Amino acid sequence: MKELLAKLGIAAAIAVTALSGTAEYASAQGVDVYIGPGYHRPPPPDYYAPPPRYDRRGCDPREAMDVARSYGLHRARVVDVTPRRVIVDGFGRRGPDTMMFANVRGCPLIGR
């Protein structure tokens, strides 16, 4: 009789721990039921509009000057803009200096 009660106690303990673990996951989902107005907001006015197009391709000369200044070029000015590159002149630590940037978005440095 003692063995039967011990087995039933162990089975009950296992069942309680199994049910408590599944109840925790089931309650995490959460179900919300709303009745009446006030919970629906319409989307913003430009929600269904197509995304804006940025037709600006290439390196903007002002952006090239800003990048040159961040590299340490003082009194930077754009000298030439070609389809392939943007040339910026200015003064570095050792005197006059020239920087060339690729004429693509982001103005990557080609050479000094």
Side-chain angles (χ1 to χ4, degrees), residues 17-60:
T17 57
L19 288 176
S20 67
T22 58
E24 184 177 321
Y25 291 114
S27 65
Q29 291 178 1
V31 176
D32 295 333
V33 178
Y34 298 117
I35 299 173
Y39 290 102
H40 174 71
R41 247 189 301 182
D46 58 346
Y47 182 76
Y48 296 108
R53 288 191 50 187
Y54 299 103
D55 290 333
R56 184 179 62 91
R57 294 187 181 107
C59 178
D60 185 32

Side-chain angles (χ1 to χ4, degrees), residues 64-104:
M65 286 192 319
D66 290 341
V67 172
R69 286 185 190 120
S70 68
Y71 275 109
L73 202 65
H74 299 286
R75 293 181 8 200
R77 61 187 172 89
V78 176
V79 177
D80 191 21
V81 178
T82 66
R84 290 183 179 259
R85 61 187 178 181
V86 177
I87 301 174
V88 179
D89 278 347
F91 291 92
R93 288 182 290 172
R94 296 182 183 96
D97 198 4
T98 301
M99 298 180 90
M100 291 179 285
F101 298 97
N103 198 356
V104 295

